């Protein structure tokens, strides 16, 4: 990622320090030179970020050699990476929330106009975990203190995500009540011993622990149990629900596939309708557009089943279509619709 920056910016943005007077003597600050000029690829296009340096104008001031710069500009990207921090955060979200693979992440980003290769995605992902680790250490004790004041203690959860088969697994420890990430670490073996070493410092903070939560992974459960046998332990409800609902989710997926198969013919209908310029063809295209949007329905299994959703919505479209044909009083077209079902 340190290769020559060949990005062509569609906008140049200039930043100056967030304050216009010297913080020590309050004299006016004056522009001295450009501190940095960097072109980065963001989710909103390619931007050149110019950070302008300012200096105190008072020759007596002890700050005279200090160059002030914009913190906001510095927040837009990290060193040695030509992607915006928004892209980094998005890679993390796609990876950990949506469990996408490197290739899928590459496709999503390229679709948004952010040019990346699989290798770039890997680098961005690595940077993301570094930032995650850094942010985990930042300020977390203060938040834990507040959580103890409100709830009488903290609840710890731990989960491991393997980015790609063969890679190290990223383990993340969260405090559940406040949603704070307390620690993140790449672990090679996932053994109980190694996980214990990872949890120990958090327990060492000394805050009262109300409980532990994790998925069914035995080494995690054992690590918690060994370190603090008295603390109640619970399976993560989401993982639990996901596991017991698996047969239903599998059937639901089949339902969705079957409905999709039946609707495969809409491309032909669209083609025909596009050739005409009548009220009927316009209505047809509105219906095919509705069907297409239904087919994109992903739902959120297991609580919201995509197959059932697609079924319900196609049923609504079908009802509407029939009503429409009734109004028009066209028995033969109506028959055609029924036959196609
Ligand atoms: Zn000054």
């Amino acid at each position: 990622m340190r290769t020559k920056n060949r990005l062509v910016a569609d906008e140049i943005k200039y930043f100056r320090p967030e304050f216009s007077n010297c913080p020590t003597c309050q004299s006016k600050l004056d522009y001295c030179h450009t501190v940095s000029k960097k072109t980065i690829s963001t989710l909103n296009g390619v931007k050149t970020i110019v950070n302008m340096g300012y200096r105190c104008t008072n020759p007596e001031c002890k700050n005279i050699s200090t160059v002030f710069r914009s913190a906001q500009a510095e927040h837009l990207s990290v060193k040695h990476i030509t992607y915006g921090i928004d892209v980094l955060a998005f890679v993390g979200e796609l990876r950990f929330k949506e469990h996408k693979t490197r290739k899928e992440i590459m496709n999503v980003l390229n679709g948004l106009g952010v040019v990346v290769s699989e290798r770039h995605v890997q680098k961005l992902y690595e940077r993301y975990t570094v930032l995650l680790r850094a942010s985990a250490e930042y300020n977390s004790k203060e938040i834990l203190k507040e959580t103890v004041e409100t709830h009488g203690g903290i609840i710890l959860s731990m989960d491991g995500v393997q980015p790609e088969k063969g890679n190290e697994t990223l383990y993340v420890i969260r405090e559940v009540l406040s949603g704070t990430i307390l620690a993140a670490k790449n672990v090679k073996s996932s053994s109980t011993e190694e996980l214990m070493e990872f949890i120990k410092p958090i327990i060492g903070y000394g805050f009262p622990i109300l409980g532990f939560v994790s998925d069914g992974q035995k080494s995690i459960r054992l690590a918690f149990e060994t370190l603090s046998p008295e603390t109640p332990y619970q399976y993560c409800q989401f993982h639990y629900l996901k596991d017991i609902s698996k047969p239903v989710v599998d059937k639901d997926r089949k339902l969705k596939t079957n409905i999709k198969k039946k609707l495969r013919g809409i491309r032909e209908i669209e083609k025909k309708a596009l050739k005409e310029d009548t009220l009927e063809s316009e209505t047809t295209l509105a219906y095919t557009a509705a069907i297409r949007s239904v087919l994109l329905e992903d739902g959120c299994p297991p609580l919201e089943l995509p197959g059932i959703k697609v079924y319900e919505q196609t049923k609504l479209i079908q009802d509407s279509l029939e009503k429409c044909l009734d109004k028009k009083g066209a028995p033969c077209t109506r028959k055609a619709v029924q036959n196609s079902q």
Side-chain angles (χ1 to χ4, degrees):
M1 216 165 298
R2 294 187 68 176
T3 48
K4 199 167 179 294
N5 190 346
R6 292 192 183 84
L7 296 169
V8 180
D10 47 41
E11 190 186 0
I12 300 185
K13 285 182 128 181
Y14 293 90
F15 289 84
R16 41 170 301 159
E18 279 70 26
F19 38 84
S20 45
N21 292 77
C22 170
T24 306
C25 72
Q26 303 307 320
S27 307
K28 209 178 144 293
L29 298 178
D30 249 356
Y31 173 74
C32 54
H33 62 262
T34 297
V35 178
S36 66
K37 184 176 177 186
K38 183 176 175 186
T39 302
I40 55 170
S41 190
T42 74
L43 295 176
N44 299 314
V46 178
K47 318 270 176 218
T48 295
I49 306 298
V50 181
N51 200 345
M52 299 189 294
Y54 277 67
R55 218 176 251 164
C56 178
T57 42
N58 172 7
E60 309 289 309
C61 180
K62 72 175 171 69
N63 256 347
I64 190 69
S65 57
T66 308
V67 178
F68 296 98
R69 55 180 82 185
S70 161
Q72 202 196 341
E74 307 242 317
H75 282 162
L76 294 175
S77 70
V78 286
K79 258 194 174 170
H80 308 312
I81 284 199
T82 53
Y83 294 93
I85 208 149
D86 55 341
V87 177
L88 261 178
F90 192 47
V91 166
E93 186 180 329
L94 292 174
R95 180 53 223 152
F96 292 113
K97 213 168 153 190
E98 302 186 18
H99 299 256
K100 289 202 183 326
T101 62
R102 270 196 301 251
K103 195 163 181 211
E104 288 166 342
I105 295 174
M106 176 185 81
N107 291 338
V108 172
L109 287 176
N110 285 337
L112 291 171
V114 180
V115 183
V116 282
S117 65
E118 264 188 70
R119 199 174 56 87
H120 285 154
V121 171
Q122 174 67 20
K123 291 258 176 187
L124 286 167
Y125 161 77
E126 282 164 15
R127 278 305 176 104
Y128 174 83
T129 59
V130 170
L131 286 181
L132 189 67
R133 277 205 297 275
S135 71
E137 281 148 30
Y138 176 74
N139 217 9
S140 58
K141 277 191 194 170
E142 280 306 306
I143 299 171
L144 292 185
K145 230 189 235 168
E146 284 167 25
T147 311
V148 172
E149 274 164 28
T150 320
H151 300 278
I154 57 172
I155 297 176
L156 297 180
S157 81
M158 177 150 132
D159 199 6
V161 199
Q162 201 171 18
E164 219 89 339
K165 272 224 167 74
N167 273 7
E168 294 175 326
T169 306
L170 177 76
Y171 278 89
V172 177
I173 300 180
R174 272 175 76 238
E175 198 290 308
V176 179
L177 297 166
S178 59
T180 319
I181 290 173
L182 300 176
K185 192 185 179 191
N186 281 317
V187 170
K188 272 211 180 81
S189 81
S190 302
S191 67
T192 302
E193 290 71 30
E194 199 164 345
L195 296 181
M196 276 166 62
E197 286 309 308
F198 177 41
I199 304 165
K200 256 185 204 164
I202 308 288
I203 293 183
Y205 288 170
F207 294 110
I209 300 171
L210 303 174
F212 295 126
V213 179
S214 80
D215 64 359
Q217 194 179 319
K218 210 174 162 191
S219 55
I220 297 184
R221 198 168 45 86
L222 278 176
F224 278 137
E225 215 173 81
T226 316
L227 286 169
S228 182
E230 301 299 313
T231 309
Y233 173 85
Q234 187 186 300
Y235 276 135
C236 161
Q237 290 169 354
F238 179 71
H239 282 97
Y240 194 78
L241 191 63
K242 217 164 95 179
D243 289 347
I244 55 165
S245 63
K246 201 173 172 291
V248 177
V249 172
D250 287 347
K251 282 221 161 107
D252 180 78
R253 194 175 300 124
K254 271 184 203 146
L255 173 69
K256 187 178 166 182
T257 316
N258 282 335
I259 297 174
K260 268 187 160 178
K261 255 188 221 159
K262 283 192 181 165
L263 293 170
R264 239 176 229 161
I266 62 167
R267 181 76 201 116
E268 286 308 308
I269 299 173
E270 270 173 343
K271 266 190 199 161
K272 257 190 221 166
L274 279 170
K275 280 183 198 147
E276 287 173 38
D277 186 18
T278 59
L279 185 60
E280 280 86 354
S281 66
E282 212 176 287
T283 316
T284 307
L285 287 174
Y287 273 110
T288 53
I291 292 169
R292 280 195 184 279
S293 80
V294 168
L295 291 179
L296 291 173
E297 194 62 70
D298 275 337
C300 187
L303 296 176
E304 216 181 44
L305 295 167
I308 296 283
K309 243 186 149 174
V310 168
Y311 173 78
E312 284 172 352
Q313 288 176 5
T314 41
K315 183 85 181 57
L316 285 176
I317 295 177
Q318 185 186 343
D319 290 349
S320 153
L321 204 54
E322 280 181 0
K323 238 188 247 165
C324 180
L325 291 175
D326 276 345
K327 264 191 208 155
K328 209 171 169 278
C332 53
T333 359
R334 190 187 160 88
K335 217 174 203 171
V337 167
Q338 276 166 348
N339 285 343
S340 72
Q341 282 161 12

